[in-house]
Amino acid sequence: MNYHVLTLFPEMVLQGLNTSIIGRAMEKGLISIEAIDIREFSSDKHKRVDDYPYGGGAGMVMQAEPVYKAYQWIAEQIQEKNMNHKKPRVIYVTPQGSLFHQNTAKEYAEEEDLIFLCGHYEGIDERVLDMIVTDYVSIGDYVLTGGELPAMVMIDAISRLIPGVLNNDVSAEFESLQDNLLEYPQYTRPENFMGQTVPEVLLSGHHANIDTWRRQQSILRTHQRRPELLEEANLSKKERAFLEQLQKDC
Ligand code: ADE
């Protein structure tokens, strides 16, 4: 997976992603992250990339030309490298986009190249967005100062789904939000922490019982914290009966 981030703050993106698991994935060559400085594509002698909005109003708008040139530069390289004319996906991170979800991460993890476009100020000239953007994506209903953090959030979520990025591939499958259920609680040594003990079943060595207990804890936790997720969860008959009992009890 090769990520190409169009940004005014390339060092923010690179420094934010070069540690821990994502940093190791880069070292191993499983992913690459390139940050392209939009400012370098400005034809203004002061390298300006923003201007006042037509029609007035607060703030500045990023101009179409430097964004378009930066996009063209990278899109051409990607097309040459892949020896095809398939246009790479361009994700504009914006609070006006559709919400990023685990399933979105899974879908993006199938791509070979992804371009992220990060805006600043009051946004980007609509004309260049119309020309290059394929996906408008938000990470939540709140407004940040720029698109770099959302792009980094998405890159992290996508990368951990790429084979080899996590040490054990199993843990990418059995985790929060897979199957629309939250993850069950986890415990490690010591067995007794300030008088609080580990649930008996986890010490039993009985794997079938442990699996059942964990599924039930996942359902219980989802019911308590994110009940709306359960509408799309895949539950067995027994699990559905367990959930109906929980719903009756509250
Ligand atoms: N840019 C500013 N806020 C954002 C958000 N919530 N999601 C994606 N991009 C953004």
Side-chain angles (χ1 to χ4, degrees):
M1 165 68 79
N2 305 294
Y3 302 103
H4 314 270
V5 186
L6 301 173
T7 169
L8 291 175
F9 300 97
E11 68 292 346
M12 178 176 175
V13 175
L14 295 177
Q15 285 172 16
L17 290 167
N18 71 1
T19 42
S20 186
I21 294 173
I22 305 302
R24 265 202 307 280
M26 281 197 270
E27 276 169 24
K28 285 199 236 167
L30 296 168
I31 62 170
S32 74
I33 303 171
E34 172 188 26
I36 298 135
D37 190 351
I38 295 170
R39 200 174 292 283
E40 287 186 8
F41 295 85
S42 166
S43 43
D44 178 80
K45 66 171 184 277
H46 302 296
K47 296 272 174 221
R48 271 187 63 170
V49 290
D50 62 329
D51 210 331
Y52 296 99
Y54 277 119
M60 305 292 272
V61 177
M62 277 171 72
Q63 291 170 299
E65 188 187 83
V67 173
Y68 187 73
K69 283 185 170 167
Y71 159 77
Q72 250 194 335
W73 181 80
I74 190 57
E76 273 170 19
Q77 285 185 47
I78 294 169
Q79 283 176 345
E80 257 172 50
K81 172 184 66 107
N82 296 346
M83 292 190 292
N84 62 24
H85 296 285
K86 196 183 140 217
K87 286 232 163 80
R89 224 155 161 168
V90 179
I91 300 156
Y92 178 45
V93 289
T94 165
Q96 299 178 13
S98 53
L99 277 185
F100 185 70
H101 186 270
Q102 189 66 21
N103 290 336
T104 329
K106 273 193 218 165
E107 186 187 321
Y108 289 159
E110 304 290 323
E111 300 283 332
E112 206 167 311
D113 290 273
L114 285 174
I115 298 179
F116 285 92
L117 173 59
C118 305
H120 260 267
Y121 315 117
E122 291 305 309
I124 300 180
D125 190 307
E126 193 69 18
R127 291 167 295 183
V128 70
L129 299 178
D130 287 344
M131 288 163 80
I132 69 172
V133 172
T134 57
D135 303 45
Y136 292 81
V137 186
S138 166
I139 61 161
D141 289 333
Y142 41 82
V143 182
L144 301 166
T145 55
E148 284 74 16
L149 285 170
M152 288 155 74
V153 165
M154 293 184 218
I155 289 171
D156 189 292
I158 297 162
S159 298
R160 60 188 294 290
L161 299 176
I162 291 167
V165 169
L166 295 183
N167 283 336
N168 68 15
D169 282 338
V170 187
S171 65
E173 267 171 57
F174 295 93
E175 80 219 312
S176 292
L177 275 189
Q178 218 75 24
D179 210 12
N180 261 38
L181 289 177
L182 301 183
E183 199 186 28
Y184 49 79
Q186 296 275 23
Y187 303 86
T188 186
R189 285 194 290 183
E191 232 177 274
N192 186 322
F193 174 67
M194 295 174 78
Q196 300 219 54
T197 52
V198 173
E200 272 302 316
V201 63
L202 299 178
L203 309 172
S204 69
H206 193 302
H207 295 298
N209 286 355
I210 292 173
D211 286 348
T212 306
W213 182 84
R214 284 180 164 167
R215 274 295 280 193
Q216 290 185 345
Q217 289 294 312
S218 283
I219 295 165
L220 173 63
R221 184 159 277 199
T222 314
H223 165 69
Q224 288 169 334
R225 299 183 187 177
R226 298 286 308 276
E228 78 283 5
L229 290 177
L230 286 165
E231 284 162 29
E232 309 256 330
N234 230 334
L235 302 182
S236 70
K237 245 191 183 156
K238 268 192 182 159
E239 288 169 344
R240 198 145 288 286
F242 175 76
L243 173 62
E244 276 160 16
Q245 194 56 49
L246 289 178
Q247 287 164 334
K248 255 190 229 149
D249 290 347
C250 71

